[in-house]
Amino acid sequence: MSAVHTEPDRLERKKPEPIRPDWISKTLAGLLLGLSLALICSGVLMALMPDTPLPVSGQLAMWLVPAVWLSVLSFVYFFTSGLRAWVWLIGANIVALAIWLLILPGSAA
């Protein structure tokens, strides 16, 4: 008779890790701030193309929104905490808005 050798570690079932509570804040940051960042980037693109016909620039700006929004929503989970996601995305929104206001035709700058 041969005895089957099994390691006790393999027999014990590991509990799955619980869902981290900051996933909700990361998801909300990606949804809300990602959308605002995508809309601002769309506005920047429209401001950079004043002489392009509206059907072309409108389509480009329209299709930029889901690309930026879903990219932000995908990468937001790489932040170490929900608070960091909110802070960085608020900062990115402020920078993008400042750029948009600086290049906006007819602005005071």
Side-chain angles (χ1 to χ4, degrees), residues 11-89:
L11 294 177
E12 293 178 15
R13 288 189 174 198
K14 281 189 171 182
K15 271 188 177 178
E17 291 186 24
I19 294 176
R20 293 183 52 165
D22 63 347
W23 281 25
I24 292 172
S25 62
K26 288 179 184 180
T27 303
L28 286 174
L31 285 172
L32 300 175
L33 296 176
L35 177 61
S36 65
L37 184 62
L39 291 173
I40 294 168
C41 289
S42 176
V44 167
L45 182 66
M46 289 294 288
L48 289 174
M49 301 186 311
D51 298 330
T52 308
L54 185 60
V56 174
S57 62
Q59 285 290 316
L60 287 173
M62 179 184 71
W63 286 107
L64 180 68
V65 172
V68 171
W69 191 14
L70 292 176
S71 297
V72 170
L73 187 57
S74 298
F75 288 111
V76 77
Y77 298 104
F78 288 114
F79 287 106
T80 55
S81 70
L83 180 63
R84 281 184 181 243
W86 279 92
V87 169
W88 277 96
L89 287 175

